[in-house]
Amino acid sequence: MSRSDPLIATARRVLTQNYRQQPVVMSRGVGCRLYDVDDREFLDMTAGLAVCVLGHAHPALAAAIAAQAGRLLHTSNLYYIEAQIRLAEALVARGFPGRVFFCNSGAEANEAALKLARRHAQVIRGEPERLEIVAFERSFHGRTVGALSVTGQAKYREGFGPLWGPVRFLPFGDLAAARAAIGPRTCAVILEVIQAEGGIHAAPEGFLAGLRDAATQVGALLIVDEVQTGMGRTGRFWAHAFEGARPDVVTIAKGLAGGVPIGAMIASEEVAEAFSPGVHASTFGGNPFACAAALAVLETIDAEGLVARAAETGAHLRDGLDRIARRRAICREVRGRGLLLGLALDREAMPVVER
């Protein structure tokens, strides 16, 4: 009997059964390789769902985590935190000036963005009737009630209603529909520049800029969810930078600390005024441990030129996928940018993934 068998049996007895898990118990990793408790080797093709941007057991990240754990794991946001200040400075220096709120995940970052948008409309602008959020079909913004409410896939929302609202879902990429829908009751527009979980659908050229103009005209905020597209994965640090349209709010998480849970919302100076002391908080958000890990990730991305590397290796991967698509009748097209790529099939993908 393998070492995995009793562990899997215990997991099936004591854990909620809300994941479809492969019968593998991972134990360690090095670079892009994973090893299970039976010491079988696997090529890691998911990177912890776009999290492990430096791979596994990267020495710089491991050293930073160990050093910080030996100094200070957690205080609270009742005090200033050195690593948090340095991390916020490093993020706004990467092309999105503003103010940073730290939390623990992408869903929490999007929750913070939605709360900020509502409060900005009601408190800063004095427009309590400005409540509607415009979101897009096929989108994914997280599993909390607020984030789920703006996720444009019914399969995730079923059985959890009534959800937060009002929310209006529009076809992704249809600028005419967006311009018609965005109006004086629109509080914010939220989107991913590339819909990752929704099937690797990139926004058509001009879509983001058009949304920026439409939101500005009516006084709504533009929120860009960079939880999967940020951290250089597309070949630039922010995916919205390809079009040059500046959002009011950006959210980021996943790869920010290379596997240590962290999320962040960055808002422009004017919009950030809506968060005054006491209106929103996070016990663990931006604690010394998570921020030290994130700083190590950002420093390593710079030192190793990984944003440019994502563009280079993404082009290589796309070329290979294009060749596969030409040879295989079931393949329709390759979609995405940089290292955020998908191979679209003419049938359900799960049986292919399982094989």
Side-chain angles (χ1 to χ4, degrees):
M1 182 175 66
S2 74
R3 293 181 61 197
S4 299
D5 293 339
L7 288 168
I8 292 171
T10 301
R12 289 171 176 167
R13 178 171 53 85
V14 299
L15 297 176
T16 58
Q17 298 300 293
N18 56 307
Y19 297 107
R20 295 187 185 93
Q21 291 169 300
Q22 299 294 329
V24 180
V25 183
M26 295 303 182
S27 175
R28 62 187 177 91
V30 180
C32 61
R33 306 282 173 173
L34 283 167
Y35 300 84
D36 73 354
V37 293
D38 297 305
D39 211 35
R40 293 180 296 174
E41 182 182 272
F42 299 84
L43 179 62
D44 184 3
M45 297 294 287
T46 63
L49 299 180
V51 167
C52 304
V53 295
L54 303 184
H56 302 288
H58 191 287
L61 179 55
I65 287 172
Q68 189 62 48
R71 266 198 311 271
L72 183 66
L73 279 177
H74 181 77
T75 55
S76 79
N77 286 297
L78 295 175
Y79 316 102
Y80 288 108
I81 298 169
E82 180 185 3
Q84 183 187 108
I85 296 166
R86 291 173 55 215
L87 178 58
E89 183 180 42
L91 285 173
V92 300
R94 281 165 165 76
F96 192 81
R99 294 182 179 268
V100 185
F101 168 81
F102 287 109
C103 51
N104 309 290
S105 68
E108 287 183 49
N110 286 328
E111 288 273 348
L114 294 171
K115 287 182 69 175
L116 180 67
R118 276 279 183 87
R119 189 168 174 84
H120 179 264
Q122 296 182 30
V123 175
I124 303 299
R125 294 182 62 93
E127 298 175 320
E129 74 287 350
R130 190 185 282 271
L131 298 173
E132 186 176 75
I133 304 294
V134 169
F136 294 93
E137 296 167 0
R138 293 194 310 253
S139 61
F140 183 83
H141 298 291
R143 303 277 191 162
T144 55
V145 170
L148 195 62
S149 299
V150 296
T151 290
Q153 299 185 62
K155 65 182 180 181
Y156 293 119
R157 302 196 305 269
E158 290 170 357
F160 295 108
L163 297 176
W164 182 82
V167 178
R168 183 184 299 195
F169 292 104
L170 304 176
F172 185 66
D174 189 336
L175 187 55
R179 284 177 171 149
I182 297 169
R185 293 183 60 82
T186 305
C187 173
V189 180
I190 184 169
L191 79 155
E192 305 150 279
V193 180
I194 301 174
Q195 293 182 324
E197 197 279 339
I200 318 296
H201 294 277
E205 186 176 354
F207 185 61
L208 185 61
L211 292 179
R212 172 71 280 172
D213 291 342
T216 299
Q217 287 176 16
V218 301
L221 301 186
L222 180 63
I223 302 169
V224 173
D225 177 344
E226 293 256 18
V227 170
Q228 286 219 42
T229 56
M231 299 300 295
R233 192 175 181 200
T234 63
R236 294 198 184 179
F237 191 83
W238 305 110
H240 70 261
F242 284 99
E243 195 152 327
R246 186 179 297 279
D248 298 293
V249 181
V250 167
T251 57
I252 190 170
K254 284 195 177 289
L256 179 54
V260 175
I262 191 172
M265 177 201 70
I266 312 173
S268 68
E269 185 81 28
E270 187 270 333
V271 173
E273 291 179 9
F275 268 7
S276 54
V279 304
H280 191 57
S282 171
T283 296
F284 295 102
N287 80 1
F289 183 73
C291 288
L295 277 167
V297 169
L298 291 179
E299 290 165 1
T300 303
I301 285 174
D302 290 346
E304 298 186 4
L306 296 185
V307 175
R309 180 68 173 161
E312 178 186 348
T313 51
H316 175 71
L317 176 59
R318 188 178 196 112
D319 181 63
L321 290 174
D322 281 333
R323 290 199 302 272
I324 292 171
R326 288 193 295 269
R327 294 199 308 266
R328 302 281 182 167
I330 70 169
C331 300
R332 291 208 318 259
E333 62 177 332
V334 180
R335 297 197 291 252
R337 189 190 289 271
L339 279 173
L340 182 51
L341 296 174
L343 182 61
L345 308 181
D346 65 359
R347 64 198 66 186
E348 286 295 316
M350 190 53 68
V352 178
V353 172
E354 289 172 349
R355 286 182 62 185

